Amino acid sequence: MQTGPLIFLHVPKTAGSTLHRIIRRHYRLAELYHTDQQPDGWLAFQQWPEAKRADIRLLMGHVEMGAAAFLPRSAQYFTMLRDPVARAISYYGHARRIREHYCYEAIRRRQMSLAEFANSGIDVMMDNGQTRMLAGVLYTVPYGELTPDHLQRARQNLETFVLVGLTERFDESLLLMRQLFGWRNIFYAERNVSQHRLSVDEAARVAVTAVNQYDQALVAYGRELFANQWATLGSEAVLHRFQRLNRLLRPLTYYGGEAARLLTNG
């Protein structure tokens, strides 16, 4: 069960929007800080008085390793990882669809394909973004200049996490969070899922794969860590019961989380 504060290191396009909704059910407003939903959110948080930061039980957002230094009490990290090619495809689709994304104008103006975007160097999240965040070098290492040492650092950091979840095994990841963090209501309906599936040719897949070799290795290691934790704490019977009930509750969860909470928690 959770004792000290938690940091959800949210890698973009790893089902974080859905997870955020679940997280918010379990913490009071004063205990929770979402860096991506505040003006200059991460910089603003760093400037808070220490006494105010001490009240935070869960910090979440697109932060990287090192965020724990700004919490007065010892914090534990958790994250979600995703297949690098699938994540990059989803990220590109999001960037070309959402006007607020900082690459939207460049993609539209230059009519950039997925392969061109991957090779353009304009967004480091396309260049082993998961390794960058887990190694704590998201913006400090230029595009294309990660090294095996950065991968090793990211792997070592993962080993310290209380949980490494997987987008491809989202339900199992939620059940582990419920057990580790004491969360009660983890029922959900998917949010921020694109209805516009991109048609991706082989050339695009090759281009994306080429700039995500370290992420391929990192996610493979994350899968090993997850498998070991699930083997120790997980239950296939509990998983199947949860999935059946979640299907039944999905309409209530989507349109009214409070209704689902009342039905499941009494």
Side-chain angles (χ1 to χ4, degrees):
M1 293 295 183
Q2 180 181 355
T3 54
L6 292 170
I7 298 173
F8 172 40
L9 192 154
H10 175 198
V11 178
K13 309 312 294 180
T14 58
S17 295
T18 300
L19 185 53
H20 287 169
R21 293 178 180 272
I22 296 170
I23 289 172
R24 286 198 294 266
R25 300 173 195 156
H26 298 94
Y27 299 89
R28 293 184 295 108
L29 187 61
E31 299 174 331
L32 183 65
Y33 189 80
H34 192 322
T35 65
D36 305 327
Q37 294 183 352
Q38 308 291 335
D40 296 321
W42 179 226
L43 290 176
F45 181 79
Q46 295 176 49
Q47 295 167 9
W48 280 13
E50 183 174 306
K52 187 177 179 181
R53 283 185 273 121
D55 291 333
I56 297 300
R57 295 185 61 214
L58 195 144
L59 173 69
M60 62 180 174
H62 298 319
V63 297
E64 56 185 322
M65 290 300 300
F70 296 92
L71 289 169
R73 295 179 294 147
S74 179
Q76 292 181 299
Y77 291 92
F78 70 103
T79 194
M80 297 287 291
L81 299 181
R82 185 178 183 183
D83 172 80
V85 174
R87 194 197 71 83
I89 292 170
S90 179
Y91 185 83
Y92 166 74
H94 178 80
R96 71 193 291 267
R97 187 178 69 254
I98 304 300
R99 289 182 177 274
E100 292 76 18
H101 194 279
Y102 51 84
C103 291
Y104 174 86
E105 290 296 336
I107 292 172
R108 291 293 184 176
R109 184 176 64 255
R110 294 158 59 178
Q111 297 184 330
M112 298 172 67
S113 68
L114 172 58
E116 290 168 338
F117 185 52
N119 291 322
S120 69
I122 66 173
D123 192 337
V124 293
M125 283 307 304
M126 292 293 287
D127 170 35
N128 297 290
Q130 296 175 93
T131 301
R132 287 175 171 275
M133 292 184 73
L134 270 298
V137 294
L138 181 56
Y139 297 114
T140 56
V141 176
Y143 199 101
E145 295 188 18
L146 287 184
T147 69
D149 287 341
H150 295 120
L151 172 60
Q152 182 62 21
R153 189 188 310 173
R155 284 169 55 103
Q156 290 172 345
N157 286 335
L158 274 188
E159 292 170 357
T160 70
F161 278 37
V162 65
L163 173 68
V164 179
L166 300 172
T167 303
E168 66 208 47
R169 299 184 68 179
F170 188 70
D171 290 349
E172 295 98 315
S173 300
L174 283 180
L175 289 170
L176 291 177
M177 291 174 199
R178 183 172 70 178
Q179 188 164 347
L180 291 167
F181 308 148
W183 297 350
R184 296 182 64 189
N185 179 4
I186 59 171
F187 297 101
Y188 70 95
E190 293 88 348
R191 297 282 183 157
N192 199 29
V193 177
S194 174
Q195 302 302 312
H196 309 284
R197 298 294 181 184
L198 292 173
S199 178
V200 179
D201 59 24
E202 186 59 25
R205 290 187 179 276
V206 169
V208 169
T209 301
V211 295
N212 283 282
Q213 293 296 310
Y214 293 129
D215 270 11
Q216 294 280 6
L218 183 68
V219 173
Y221 186 57
R223 288 174 178 143
E224 292 179 20
L225 295 175
F226 179 88
N228 292 336
Q229 195 162 30
W230 180 253
T232 302
L233 301 176
S235 164
E236 293 299 321
V238 171
L239 171 63
H240 295 153
R241 287 197 298 272
F242 167 73
Q243 289 174 331
R244 286 196 299 270
L245 188 53
N246 193 58
R247 284 193 294 270
L248 291 172
L249 292 173
R250 184 167 288 133
L252 291 175
T253 307
Y254 190 90
Y255 292 107
E258 181 67 11
R261 184 191 68 80
L262 291 172
L263 283 175
T264 54
N265 292 343

